Amino acid sequence: MSYMTELGARSLAAKPGLACAGTRQKNQALAAIAAALRTEMQAILNANAKDLENAEAAGMNKIMMDRLRLTEARIQGIASSVEELIALEDPVGLIESGSTRPNGLRIVKIRVPLGVVGIIFESRPNVVVDAACLCLKSGNVSLLRGGKEAIHSNTALMQVMRRAVESVGLPADIMQLVENTGRDIAQEMMRLNGYIDVLIPRGGAGLIQAVIQNSSLPVIETGTGNCHIYVDASADLDMAAAITNNAKVSRPSVCNAAESLLVHADVAEQFLPMVKNILDASHVVLYGCPRTCAILSDALPATEEDYAAEYLDFKMSVKVVDSLEEAIDHIAKYSTHHSDSIITRSLESAERFTQAVDSAAVYVNASTRFTDGGEFGLGAEIGISTQKLHARGPMGLKELTTIKYIIHGEGQIR
């Protein structure tokens, strides 16, 4: 039996133990995990220090190092996110609808777990806890494979959680970490039919496309984020500058950070120097169209690749457009259908934008940085889906369940 097949078999064996757990026991497990994260914080930080040391030696840039880094405050935040899940409604067993047929059959549609959820992700160690705990609360067994750059952190976090769930009587194998980070192991995981019910990639465009193209399992596509801010002719320019700055620089390494700025020609000469002055404080490099470069002399010429880029860095593409429709067309061409925002005082423009922009989250006068499970009241998210089947946008507890029909009869035959 191969390494991945063994892990898959252990996940399957753990399913009945979790399926029989009620909300109370699952919440006890979450409380135990949150407490253990705080109690064993130093061991987790020591493991993370090894990853950071290795990452620095390998030349990882500062933005990606920040994604990898754990601190006392971040671990406290992770533990608090786990505790927030306790207060959320358990979706398992919820009745979606019911009916009685003319022949007397009583049909009820209820929510049930997806089963064994495989997650392949990159360098953010908090994903281990977010994903495993969301799966736990929604009744799913989780099998997680992170990148080699966070292996010490991920292993420490998983060990803490497995001991915690065992302490309340649940099988440790309801959550497992794939500790072999070889590429061949990831390929095998993508083809673990019969063991994994659904696979969720969480990371950059390369990872997501590799999973989509190579997996024989059902995949929920979590999207890369080429997110746009469009500043309309009627926009409050001070608001637009503040939103653009927040969306770009508050945390540029995440998928809901803005990568592209579109500005209506009527306000470009006033707005672009204003926003550049603010972005300069964070040393944001701007890549602009010819009209942008004419207004901002130190902007670099933008290429087609710039307009399509998810920089995950202090960089931003900029284009001056002549109309709302041109902005919508540009977004349609380059967007990854994640999150896009219009800044406007015009109700007509806002309505047109929200109707025409085909993204998972469309904002009016707000930062794209709010596309997040916690900000949407869903608790920690498993990812942000940019596809249209089953789940779209931040995926919380309900999105980790599916439907089962329960039919009661009294001897009916057809």
Side-chain angles (χ1 to χ4, degrees):
M1 183 180 291
S2 72
Y3 173 68
M4 279 309 309
T5 302
E6 180 183 348
L7 292 185
R10 286 166 55 184
S11 291
L12 281 182
K15 277 177 68 173
L18 185 55
C20 294
T23 302
R24 183 171 179 272
Q25 188 177 19
K26 290 188 290 186
N27 284 343
Q28 287 174 338
L30 292 170
I33 288 171
L37 288 170
R38 295 187 174 104
T39 301
E40 303 189 45
M41 183 181 295
Q42 192 56 54
I44 296 168
L45 290 173
N46 291 343
N48 184 244
K50 294 179 184 178
D51 288 328
L52 290 169
E53 183 180 349
N54 292 339
E56 187 171 14
M60 182 181 286
N61 67 46
K62 291 182 179 180
I63 298 292
M64 299 308 291
M65 288 277 284
D66 180 63
R67 290 166 70 97
L68 179 59
R69 180 173 286 105
L70 291 174
T71 63
E72 289 190 12
R74 287 185 180 181
I75 294 174
Q76 288 284 1
I78 293 168
S80 296
S81 294
V82 175
E83 290 170 332
E84 288 170 6
L85 287 175
I86 295 172
L88 296 179
E89 184 178 29
D90 185 349
V92 178
L94 288 178
I95 297 174
E96 291 284 322
S97 62
S99 63
T100 301
R101 302 296 299 151
N103 62 3
L105 286 178
R106 300 187 305 279
I107 303 174
V108 177
K109 184 166 74 170
I110 67 168
R111 293 216 156 261
V112 295
L114 293 171
V116 177
V117 177
I119 299 129
I120 299 178
F121 61 99
E122 291 179 327
S123 61
R124 294 169 65 185
N126 66 292
V127 174
V128 174
V129 181
D130 290 351
C133 290
L134 273 163
C135 285
L136 190 163
K137 179 77 182 233
S138 56
N140 292 289
V141 172
S142 55
L143 184 55
L144 300 100
R145 192 266 187 190
K148 65 180 180 180
E149 66 280 355
I151 187 60
H152 295 98
S153 307
N154 293 342
T155 300
L157 289 165
M158 182 58 74
Q159 290 172 347
V160 167
M161 292 192 293
R162 283 168 60 87
R163 289 193 292 267
V165 299
E166 276 192 311
S167 74
V168 302
L170 288 173
D173 285 343
I174 63 171
M175 50 184 69
Q176 294 188 83
L177 179 71
V178 179
E179 296 185 18
N180 185 328
T181 59
R183 186 167 296 181
D184 57 328
I185 294 296
Q187 293 285 337
E188 187 178 351
M189 185 176 178
M190 295 177 203
R191 294 175 170 84
L192 210 59
N193 296 73
Y195 297 96
I196 296 177
D197 293 289
V198 63
L199 193 60
I200 303 174
R202 182 165 170 174
L207 168 68
I208 293 167
Q209 288 306 309
V211 173
I212 291 169
Q213 292 168 13
N214 293 292
S215 178
S216 61
L217 299 165
V219 175
I220 297 178
E221 182 179 350
T222 60
T224 52
N226 181 13
C227 303
H228 294 75
I229 302 289
Y230 166 58
V231 181
D232 193 32
S234 67
D236 178 323
L237 298 186
D238 289 328
M239 176 194 290
I243 288 173
T244 302
N245 185 58
N246 174 263
K248 178 69 263 182
V249 310
S250 61
R251 199 169 182 191
S253 63
V254 295
C255 62
N256 58 22
E259 306 287 22
S260 301
L261 175 64
L262 305 175
V263 182
H264 196 285
D266 288 356
V267 295
E269 289 192 10
Q270 181 180 356
F271 178 73
L272 285 175
M274 178 191 306
V275 75
K276 181 184 181 300
N277 184 55
I278 296 173
L279 293 174
D280 277 349
S282 300
H283 306 289
V284 176
V285 178
L286 300 179
Y287 297 85
C289 66
R291 286 196 285 181
T292 299
C293 293
I295 297 170
L296 304 176
S297 59
D298 54 354
L300 301 175
T303 65
E304 286 289 302
E305 289 75 18
D306 286 310
Y307 292 130
E310 184 189 32
Y311 292 115
L312 302 176
D313 201 347
F314 290 101
K315 300 176 180 179
M316 195 173 208
S317 69
V318 186
K319 184 176 176 61
V320 177
V321 296
D322 290 317
S323 66
L324 169 62
E325 292 305 318
E326 186 181 347
I328 291 170
D329 289 344
H330 180 94
I331 293 171
K333 182 175 181 179
Y334 297 104
S335 174
T336 55
H337 310 291
H338 190 295
S339 303
D340 300 293
S341 180
I342 181 174
I343 318 303
T344 185
R345 290 191 182 99
S346 165
L347 178 60
E348 181 181 355
S349 293
E351 289 181 344
R352 174 62 183 153
F353 189 86
T354 57
Q355 290 168 355
V357 172
D358 184 21
S359 293
V362 183
Y363 292 83
V364 177
N365 295 331
S367 170
T368 57
R369 289 279 288 109
F370 287 102
T371 306
D372 175 271
E375 295 294 337
F376 281 18
L378 304 176
E381 73 194 21
I382 201 105
I384 297 171
S385 170
T386 54
Q387 64 183 34
K388 297 185 180 181
L389 297 179
H390 171 65
R392 196 178 193 200
M395 294 176 57
L397 294 172
K398 187 175 181 181
E399 288 72 28
L400 285 170
T401 61
T402 186
I403 294 300
K404 177 188 284 185
Y405 286 91
I406 306 295
I407 303 96
H408 290 273
E410 298 172 333
Q412 288 91 334
I413 60 174
R414 183 176 179 183

